[in-house]
Amino acid sequence: MSSSTTVGTAARPLRVAVVGSGPAGVYAADILTKSEAVKSGELTVSIDLFDRYPAPYGLIRYGVAPDHPRIKGIVNALHKVLDRGDIRFFGNVDYGTDISIEDLRTHYDAVIFATGAIKDADLNIPGIELEGSFGGADFVSWYDGHPDVSREWPLEATSVAVLGNGNVALDVARVLSKHADDLLVTEIPDNVYAGLKASPVTDVHVFGRRGPAQVKFTPLELRELSHSKDVDIILYAEDFEFDDESDRQIQTNNQTKTMVGTLTNWIAEQPEDLSDLKASRRLHLHFLHSPVEIVDSAETPGKVAAIKFERTELDGTGNARGTGELVDYPVQAVYRAIGYFGSALPDVEFDHKKGVITNDGGRVLDASGEHVPGLYATGWIKRGPIGLIGHTKGDALETVTYLLEDRENLPFAAVPEADAVVDLLDSRGVKFTSWEGWLALDAHELALGAAASDAGTSHGVEVQRERIKVVPREDMVDISRDGVAAQV
């Protein structure tokens, strides 16, 4: 057992490991370093951030559309935290494979899990297993150049259905409908550009179970749809239903009011004869549709040929109920974007129904419901994949507050020396990357973009490319480690 006279003071700092370097992990580390106990000099801390990927930023690098307007600001904020030098980064270290809970508890007094949620939530309807039925999160990983997914994606459909009314659904629909040349200003890898360029898609349909006042995306995401060139947005008057709860939300919630106003303006400005729309691609927004079945056909057995919905209606409380009316849409691909779901971690109690580490306010619990001393969770793996990135700060503050309250009763790390974990990883042959390595990789990706821009065109298109993302994990690791070695 530790005591305030030996841990977190001049004798030695409180050693904390954070598993996950996305916003949740970085915010937790930053909040801990800026806590009153640390600022006053009462406590000293030493924080190491671990990530299974060679590069930091987690969801921001591998879970948000590359043309999202807020990415750069969030990356800059996370960069400033990690660039201070008081938080170490260990990339390409997989918890449960390269390093275990026993290892972490040997070298750290406390461990914060911030591993997020990267899998698609299940949708249990007939036909979900057909060829051409995809998870939206998997597609996001592909177009974001995730190092552990295939470089290829089957973009063969002319008509596509996207299920969901959250930001991820809009991201998926926007990337599917947008012309590939217009994405060259982002950091998309060349294989993603080539795949999107060859896509024959003409129509992308986004379906939500409830009405326009109940959508879960944000005004910014909605407005981004209208910025796509040569893509017409189409809405349907029969989908615009508002009940008493909808009216209340519109009157009391500025975000809802803004989104409903945008949608109603769009449909008011839409020509009565849709044949007057001349764009080569169309993005359809549908409401009051609940998916029932994905079906194949005699001509294409085993492959998506259509999707069946039950029309719904609002029940007065903002929720939807079925009407019994069934409608079919001929599509050749279906993307479910109804939410993310967390993955269990080795040797940590997990709630498989909620997809979170079992915890109480961030304190990790064991099977009997007792707090496991020294173990904590934050972000989506703590509370589920809900809320925006900004909500993660408050979430991290709660977890860090509990950790600080517990600090005099944390289990004592047997081998707390900072170099010990480096020696451990080296002894296992783990090719871990560092913050300095990320700076080298960052510079390399920027140089790739500059080279493409200097050439005057990229893929025959005149465009300024800020960066081109490196995809293969081995290349990311080599560039990171070689960059550091070159500085020594």
Side-chain angles (χ1 to χ4, degrees), residues 17-142:
V18 180
V19 182
S21 69
V26 176
Y27 289 152
D30 187 40
I31 289 170
L32 181 54
T33 63
K34 294 178 178 177
S35 64
E36 187 58 39
V38 172
K39 288 194 298 183
S40 68
E42 175 189 348
L43 177 71
T44 60
V45 294
S46 172
I47 304 173
D48 289 343
L49 206 60
F50 294 89
D51 203 291
R52 62 181 299 196
Y53 307 125
Y57 307 145
L59 174 71
I60 300 303
R61 184 171 168 94
Y62 294 122
V64 181
D67 61 343
H68 194 295
R70 287 183 178 167
I71 285 182
K72 188 175 295 184
I74 298 171
V75 166
N76 288 343
L78 300 179
H79 178 98
K80 287 179 181 178
V81 173
L82 295 179
D83 202 43
R84 293 195 312 246
D86 57 345
I87 300 167
R88 291 196 302 182
F89 172 70
F90 289 87
N92 202 41
V93 179
D94 186 23
Y95 169 77
T97 303
D98 299 318
I99 199 164
S100 68
I101 189 66
E102 291 81 9
D103 297 326
L104 293 176
R105 305 208 72 170
T106 297
H107 294 85
Y108 300 91
D109 306 301
V111 180
I112 302 175
F113 292 101
T115 51
I118 60 173
K119 294 196 308 182
D120 285 286
D122 290 335
L123 178 63
N124 294 316
I125 61 172
I128 197 69
E129 77 291 342
L130 289 175
E131 182 181 342
S133 172
F134 305 107
D138 292 335
F139 183 57
V140 171
S141 292
W142 174 76

Side-chain angles (χ1 to χ4, degrees), residues 99-342:
I99 199 164
S100 68
I101 189 66
E102 291 81 9
D103 297 326
L104 293 176
R105 305 208 72 170
T106 297
H107 294 85
Y108 300 91
D109 306 301
V111 180
I112 302 175
F113 292 101
T115 51
I118 60 173
K119 294 196 308 182
D120 285 286
D122 290 335
L123 178 63
N124 294 316
I125 61 172
I128 197 69
E129 77 291 342
L130 289 175
E131 182 181 342
S133 172
F134 305 107
D138 292 335
F139 183 57
V140 171
S141 292
W142 174 76
Y143 67 60
D144 271 335
H146 194 294
D148 297 335
V149 303
S150 171
R151 305 288 185 271
E152 306 299 323
W153 190 271
L155 291 165
E156 302 162 351
T158 56
S159 294
V160 178
V162 179
L163 309 180
N165 262 179
N167 284 341
V168 175
L170 287 197
D171 280 352
V172 168
R174 191 176 67 253
V175 171
L176 283 168
S177 61
K178 203 167 189 173
H179 291 277
D181 288 351
D182 295 329
L183 286 167
L184 281 174
V185 295
T186 74
E187 60 185 27
I188 63 167
D190 287 343
N191 68 292
V192 174
Y193 170 81
L196 293 172
K197 182 71 172 177
S199 171
V201 69
T202 59
D203 292 84
V204 177
H205 300 261
V206 182
F207 295 93
R209 189 173 57 85
R210 296 188 291 172
Q214 286 76 44
V215 294
K216 294 298 184 182
F217 38 75
T218 59
L220 180 65
E221 288 279 354
L222 181 61
R223 287 193 295 269
E224 276 297 300
L225 294 184
S226 64
H227 296 165
S228 296
K229 299 175 185 176
D230 192 34
V231 180
D232 282 326
I233 298 174
I234 299 177
L235 300 104
Y236 299 87
E238 62 269 25
D239 292 344
F240 279 71
E241 178 181 310
F242 302 94
D243 60 1
D244 291 342
E245 178 59 20
S246 299
D247 293 336
R248 187 194 69 78
Q249 290 173 341
I250 293 169
Q251 295 301 319
T252 60
N253 187 301
N254 285 333
Q255 179 165 298
T256 301
K257 183 178 181 179
T258 298
M259 288 189 292
V260 170
T262 298
L263 290 167
T264 53
N265 285 339
W266 283 355
I267 196 169
E269 296 167 358
Q270 186 172 287
E272 289 188 18
D273 186 352
L274 295 181
S275 65
D276 291 337
L277 297 172
K278 301 303 182 183
S280 65
R281 293 180 176 179
R282 292 160 293 278
L283 200 163
H284 309 254
L285 298 180
H286 304 269
F287 307 103
L288 303 173
H289 284 72
S290 181
V292 173
E293 183 181 7
I294 302 171
V295 297
D296 58 2
S297 67
E299 292 78 16
T300 58
K303 296 183 178 181
V304 172
I307 183 168
K308 185 185 300 292
F309 292 91
E310 180 180 14
R311 289 304 308 257
T312 62
E313 62 183 7
L314 299 178
D315 63 3
T317 69
N319 290 311
R321 61 193 171 202
T323 65
E325 177 188 356
L326 299 177
V327 291
D328 291 350
Y329 290 84
V331 297
Q332 300 84 48
V334 175
Y335 291 77
R336 66 185 185 280
I338 57 173
Y340 285 85
F341 201 78

Side-chain angles (χ1 to χ4, degrees), residues 444-455 463-468:
H444 181 84
E445 292 185 343
L446 291 171
L448 292 176
S453 299
D454 290 343
V463 63
Q464 288 293 118
R465 302 202 68 181
E466 183 176 346
R467 124 191 346 259
I468 298 176

